[in-house]
């Protein structure tokens, strides 16, 4: 039996519908339900960055330890998104949204209960990973529900609302999180519980209806991709501690990449693979995933590094650091709506290229102003960088998912989100290494200028580079603030270069014009992903 026939005969509907999605006004209630569901994952990407110094200080974590508290979440998302997307297409999108929300809320509650002492790091890293797993099985299902609920001609605007409003809630997160953190950092995790309750109530009321495609789960592929992603990013992350000269770093990276290569080979010979690799033969899908990979090296890490910069270099409180990030999201949310409308009108190339260029310019200007230690000189740079990311991310993601058939939206979303979150983990690890390396160099120079010997200065710089930013802003010496700003400048210049590279790929890889409606596999015997 052909693949298209399989899709045709095994297709079902989630919640017993007709597989055509929700019609009329109810689709906006469904959209609201899905926004509340995924908003937890968005909020946690920024609100935790605000609380990093306080978490680090109270739990007595090293800089690398607290970075793992951030990175474990991203790693779990990256490792399990493909699994979540296939699971959603197989057993039902609504079921996976509900399960993911419950898992995410439980893990958030447990993160807030992290005990002090020797168990703290393992506890918070473990439950942050569980949060990531919950998000991984929830997000592809939620996005698939939204995509199936809107026609292709309206999808850009709908997903601009989806990502824009979720981004708006994310923008509130840093400010709200800043005030919560001044009470207790634990509250930034507990706030997810009421959000989860609202999401579950709205999902129950709206009763989303989507098509499903039952298929066995490829657990062998799941193990290979999870281990491959984990090992490769672990190698980059540990380079800050072990050093690049340590052979274990290169063993981890090589083993991770090797497992991913084995995964690709195995998937090609598996009857029901975790990921249908044939979708990468659809050129726009492959190009958009390349663009998403490059841009996500920047998008999540910028929250972590800018929060650290605001609190260490500028001496801001956690709530003031939240306002710092808000400027980024002001640009992001406004441009996301404009980018979605441009996508519906003329296709993906124009907003994606424009967004990448604006982001590159914004990060470049921001880098130039960072050593001034003046927020007023940077605020419009930050808005411009956020606007650039807003213009390009939603159209790029939407265009990629649109290349799948109605029965494979969860799987396609799983692929794009795997790419995005693997890149975010990689970006956080690599740019974190860049930051620490440049900081040690700057500190060594400053300490040598103050009369220390070269050896003593290097040892002291290595120790100071692990500074706990939450101890007391007033206790951070001025030379350290300047040196940290210089190190952040290097990271921001790297981000500008990365977004310039994304602009080049978008300009030469994408074509102008709107995408034509895909013929569904049950209507014509094509691939499960339609036509290029």
């Amino acid at each position: 039996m052909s693949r298209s026939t399989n899709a045709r005969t095994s297709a079902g509907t989630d919640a017993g519908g007709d597989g055509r999605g929700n019609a009329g006004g109810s689709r906006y209630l469904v959209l609201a339900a899905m926004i509340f569901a995924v908003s937890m994952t968005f909020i946690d990407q920024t609100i935790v960055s605000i609380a990093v110094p306080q978490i680090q200080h109270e739990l007595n974590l090293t800089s690398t330890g607290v970075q793992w508290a951030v990175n474990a979440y991203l790693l779990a998302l990256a490792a399990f998104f493909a699994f979540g997307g296939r699971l959603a297409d197989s057993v039902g999108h609504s079921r996976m949204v509900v399960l993911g929300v419950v898992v995410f809320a439980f893990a958030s509650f447990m993160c807030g209960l992290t005990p002090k002492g020797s168990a703290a790091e393992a506890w918070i890293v473990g439950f942050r990973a569980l949060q990531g797993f919950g998000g991984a099985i929830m997000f592809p299902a939620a996005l698939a529900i939204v995509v199936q609920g809107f026609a292709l001609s309206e999808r850009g605007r709908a997903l601009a609302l989806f990502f824009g409003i979720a981004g708006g809630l994310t923008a509130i997160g840093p400010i709200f999180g800043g005030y919560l953190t001044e009470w207790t950092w634990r509250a930034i995790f507990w706030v997810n519980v009421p959000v989860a309750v609202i999401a579950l109530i709205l999902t129950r009321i709206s009763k989303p209806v989507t098509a499903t495609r039952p298929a066995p789960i490829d657990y062998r592929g799941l193990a290979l991709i999870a281990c491959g992603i984990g090992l490769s990013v672990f190698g980059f992350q540990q380079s800050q501690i072990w050093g690049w000269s340590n052979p274990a770093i290169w063993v981890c990276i090589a083993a991770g990449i090797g497992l991913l290569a084995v995964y690709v080979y195995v998937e090609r010979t598996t009857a029901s693979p975790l990921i249908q690799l044939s979708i990468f033969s659809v050129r726009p899908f492959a190009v958009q995933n390349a663009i998403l990979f490059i841009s996500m090296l920047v998008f999540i890490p910028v929250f972590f590094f800018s929060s650290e910069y605001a609190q260490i270099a500028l001496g801001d409180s956690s709530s003031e650091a939240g306002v710092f990030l808000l400027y980024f999201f002001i640009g992001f949310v406004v441009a996301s709506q404009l980018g979605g409308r441009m996508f519906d009108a003329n296709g993906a190339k124009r907003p994606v290229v424009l967004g990448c260029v604006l982001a590159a310019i914004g990060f470049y200007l921001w880098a130039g102003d960072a050593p001034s230690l003046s927020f007023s000189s940077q605020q419009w740079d930050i808005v411009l960088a956020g606007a650039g990311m807003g213009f390009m991310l939603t159209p790029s993601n939407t265009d990629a998912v649109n290349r799948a058939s109605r029965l494979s939206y969860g799987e396609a979303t799983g692929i794009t989100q795997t790419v995005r979150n693997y890149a975010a983990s990689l970006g956080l690890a690599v740019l974190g290494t860049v930051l620490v390396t440049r900081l040690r160099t700057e500190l060594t120079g400053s300490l040598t200028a103050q009369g220390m010997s070269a050896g003593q200065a290097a040892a002291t710089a290595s120790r100071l580079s692990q500074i706990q930013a939450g101890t007391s802003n007033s206790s951070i010496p001025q030379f350290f603030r300047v040196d940290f700003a210089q190190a952040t400048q290097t990271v921001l210049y790297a981000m500008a270069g990365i977004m310039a590279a994304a602009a080049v790929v978008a300009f030469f890889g994408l074509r102008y014009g709107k995408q034509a409606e895909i013929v569904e596999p049950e209507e014509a015997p094509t691939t499960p992903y339609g036509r290029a």
Side-chain angles (χ1 to χ4, degrees), residues 6 9 15 147 183 208 248 259 291 303 316 327 357 403 415 441 474 477:
N6 268 324
T9 58
V147 169
W183 169 47
L259 285 173
I291 294 168
F303 306 134
D316 289 345
Y327 276 79
V357 170
R403 305 297 167 170
I415 295 170
T441 301
S474 61

Side-chain angles (χ1 to χ4, degrees), residues 217-252:
I217 303 299
D218 175 23
Y219 292 103
R220 180 178 58 178
L222 171 62
L224 286 170
I225 194 172
C227 292
I229 289 171
L231 272 175
S232 56
V233 174
F234 178 80
F236 284 109
Q237 178 71 23
Q238 290 301 106
S239 64
Q240 298 180 42
I241 301 175
W242 297 345
W244 287 103
S245 60
N246 191 321
I249 293 294
W250 299 104
V251 169
C252 287

Side-chain angles (χ1 to χ4, degrees), residues 287-307:
V287 172
Q288 291 291 15
N289 273 277
I291 294 168
L292 288 170
F293 181 90
I294 297 170
S295 62
M296 291 303 289
L297 293 169
V298 169
F299 186 62
I300 300 303
V302 71
F303 306 134
F304 180 84
F305 295 118
S306 61
S307 175

